[in-house]
Amino acid sequence: MKFILPMLVLFASFNAHAADAPKDISSAVEAYRFWYPTVSMEGMMSGMRSLGVKDNARMFSAQGDAGVLAFTANQDTPYAVALLDLKDGPMVVEIPAGPFMALVDDHHQRWIVDMGIPGQDGGKGGKYLILPPQYKSEVPQGFNVAQSNTFKVMLVARVIPQAGQSMKTTQERIKEFRIYPLSTIKSPKLVTVFDATGKKGDTSLLKWESNIQFWQQLAKVINEEPMDSRYQIMFDQLKAFGIEKGKEFKPDAATKKMLEAAAKEGKTQMLTTSFSSDRPDRIKWGDRKWEWLLLNSDPTWATNHDMDPVARDRYFAQAIVMSPAMLKRDASAGSLYWGAFKDANNKAMDGGRHYKLTVPMPVPARLFWSVTVYDTETRSLIQNGRPNAAIRSLVELKDMKDVKSVDLYFGPSAPAGNEKTWVKTIPGKTWFAYFRIYGPDKEAFEGAWKPGDITEIKNETMASFD
């Protein structure tokens, strides 16, 4: 109940005659925050298309690369993205047996289905059928069936590297996916896979999030997708600003000015909630600065973001795509995420200063773990001119055995002799870090193990790599 009340308060500000309400900036800011995940998903879809992805035709595969702007993407695993358009009918996804983790989210970033290890097939492989909204035809046997509330959906898949296997070899396994329209099942019209590693692009909404383009993109999605009756009051609220299904969005000068101001203020509020939250349940350990990225661990939050608007703002301002598997806080979880937004002295991490993080070993990970650095402004992998923005147990640390702890370094230059355990940062820019554990053991949740804080250092001997 404590998480539902804030949203009820939010909805209470929009009465049954919301369409007749004054076009004030405060209600526009509330609308901005509510629809932010939708516009963020449109940013991902648009960005993927610019990289060569084609709906129902071409699938993106890549190794983590800082050249692509994407909210808190990682360099831990090869990944793939397919855009599916269900207007012409259901799409089939055949996922092979193996170390795959995949999910499908709708146009509003609400979860539809997990596949692979966290899915119904449990990593043994299986056939999934994604149904369009209000699908009435008979559903064939032999599929794990998932219903979408929007026509456009996104499939995101990762392949977990196996011991001794290169990232390139791991990435090749993405070609084992079979995706095709159900209507072509007798002679499948397969989605093809292309390698986008090294390509530069923007799969975020950064270019839209603080100007009138945010509302233009939202109006586009509203016109493309069915209206969800659960959020009728939010659709009605948009009418006051000229956004309505079936109508062209043509704001007058005064409305445009107000909506642009609302976008700027909405972004500020969301980033404040995201990086400077004072909510007590964000804390993982009372004596550490590491925080839970996902404040709400209730699996239903993956489909009903409105149950906890604060958690929604925090998550979607710095991350993308959602699944119940990401919310688990026990040893059955596929992965877990902590964020460090301040150093040990409670200050933002400065790209011109040097820091150290001590990680006790072994980390309670059945699979692997990593620490990744992100640019605060873009919320994307730091673009430092080097191949890595992360330190990973399977890559940089793979040869470290039988040690009690490992020291990781961050700064504009590397400590002499510790170049492999260093991520270069950029003077003049602030950054934050994620600690990810894949296949976490119970010690990660019960407090028996915990990493140190990110601590500024001033007396290390530095070796320049500029």
Side-chain angles (χ1 to χ4, degrees), residues 323 445 450:
S323 159
F445 302 95
K450 54 187 173 184

Side-chain angles (χ1 to χ4, degrees), residues 121-336:
D121 64 287
K124 297 178 181 178
K127 294 183 179 181
Y128 290 79
L129 187 65
I130 315 301
L131 302 180
Q134 301 176 344
Y135 187 71
K136 303 297 184 183
S137 300
E138 184 177 354
V139 176
Q141 298 293 314
F143 291 96
N144 296 308
V145 179
Q147 176 73 62
S148 174
N149 288 313
T150 63
F151 290 112
K152 288 182 168 53
V153 304
M154 175 182 283
L155 181 151
V156 180
R158 292 184 293 175
V159 192
I160 307 301
Q162 303 301 289
Q165 191 176 74
S166 71
M167 286 289 185
K168 186 64 178 176
T169 300
T170 301
Q171 183 185 349
E172 284 293 307
R173 294 212 60 187
I174 291 170
K175 294 179 180 178
E176 298 175 30
F177 276 76
R178 286 168 51 87
I179 304 173
Y180 54 90
L182 178 64
S183 61
T184 69
I185 193 168
K186 292 183 179 180
S187 180
K189 186 178 179 180
L190 295 173
V191 172
T192 59
V193 180
F194 72 97
D195 187 354
T197 301
K199 281 195 171 187
K200 296 186 181 299
D202 185 352
T203 65
S204 74
L205 77 166
L206 288 168
K207 54 190 173 295
W208 305 334
E209 67 178 354
S210 56
N211 55 59
I212 194 63
Q213 293 182 84
F214 178 93
W215 305 100
Q216 292 169 340
Q217 295 300 323
L218 176 58
K220 173 180 176 290
V221 177
I222 295 297
N223 270 301
E224 289 178 347
E225 298 292 2
M227 293 176 63
D228 190 328
S229 60
R230 291 177 299 173
Y231 306 112
Q232 184 64 52
I233 198 167
M234 304 308 293
F235 285 99
D236 289 345
Q237 170 64 17
L238 292 177
K239 295 178 184 178
F241 313 126
I243 298 175
E244 185 175 358
K245 188 171 180 63
K247 293 185 178 181
E248 185 180 359
F249 177 50
K250 297 175 65 176
D252 58 29
T255 302
K256 180 179 178 182
K257 182 178 180 181
M258 184 275 294
L259 289 175
E260 289 201 319
K264 290 181 174 65
E265 176 60 23
K267 175 184 175 181
T268 297
Q269 289 188 15
M270 290 190 66
L271 292 180
T272 299
T273 298
S274 190
F275 294 114
S276 302
S277 172
D278 59 359
R279 205 162 109 167
D281 62 343
R282 78 189 192 282
I283 299 297
K284 165 57 180 169
W285 300 282
D287 60 345
R288 294 289 189 273
K289 300 301 181 185
W290 292 99
E291 302 180 6
W292 291 108
L293 168 61
L294 290 148
L295 296 183
N296 197 317
S297 60
D298 186 336
T300 60
W301 189 80
T303 53
N304 298 310
H305 304 151
D306 54 317
M307 69 180 293
D308 190 345
V310 174
R312 180 190 61 217
D313 284 1
R314 176 182 173 88
Y315 181 78
F316 288 112
Q318 60 177 288
I320 48 177
V321 301
M322 173 52 58
S323 159
M326 298 168 63
L327 298 164
K328 289 183 178 180
R329 295 186 183 178
D330 58 47
S332 67
S335 56
L336 61 80

Side-chain angles (χ1 to χ4, degrees), residues 10 85 99 171 195 262 273 380 383 403:
L10 172 61
D85 189 338
Q171 183 185 349
D195 187 354
T273 298
S380 301
Q383 297 190 2
V403 295

Side-chain angles (χ1 to χ4, degrees), residues 75-110:
Q75 293 189 300
D76 303 331
T77 66
Y79 57 96
V81 175
L83 302 180
L84 309 181
D85 189 338
L86 307 174
K87 278 192 175 179
D88 292 330
M91 292 292 292
V92 176
V93 179
E94 296 183 13
I95 187 168
F100 298 96
M101 299 175 69
L103 62 85
V104 179
D105 277 5
D106 74 8
H107 213 153
H108 302 296
Q109 279 198 83
R110 294 175 303 202

Side-chain angles (χ1 to χ4, degrees), residues 55-75:
D55 297 29
N56 298 353
R58 299 187 77 215
M59 182 178 184
F60 168 111
S61 120
Q63 299 179 45
D65 194 316
V68 175
L69 293 177
F71 286 177
T72 52
N74 68 67
Q75 293 189 300

Side-chain angles (χ1 to χ4, degrees), residues 284 330-331 364 366 439-449:
K284 165 57 180 169
D330 58 47
R366 295 190 301 277
D441 279 324
K442 62 180 182 179
E443 292 82 3
F445 302 95
E446 296 177 354
W449 174 92

Side-chain angles (χ1 to χ4, degrees), residues 40-58:
S40 182
M41 176 59 92
E42 178 61 23
M44 285 185 276
M45 290 180 169
S46 174
M48 286 296 168
R49 292 184 187 110
S50 71
L51 290 169
V53 174
K54 292 183 179 180
D55 297 29
N56 298 353
R58 299 187 77 215

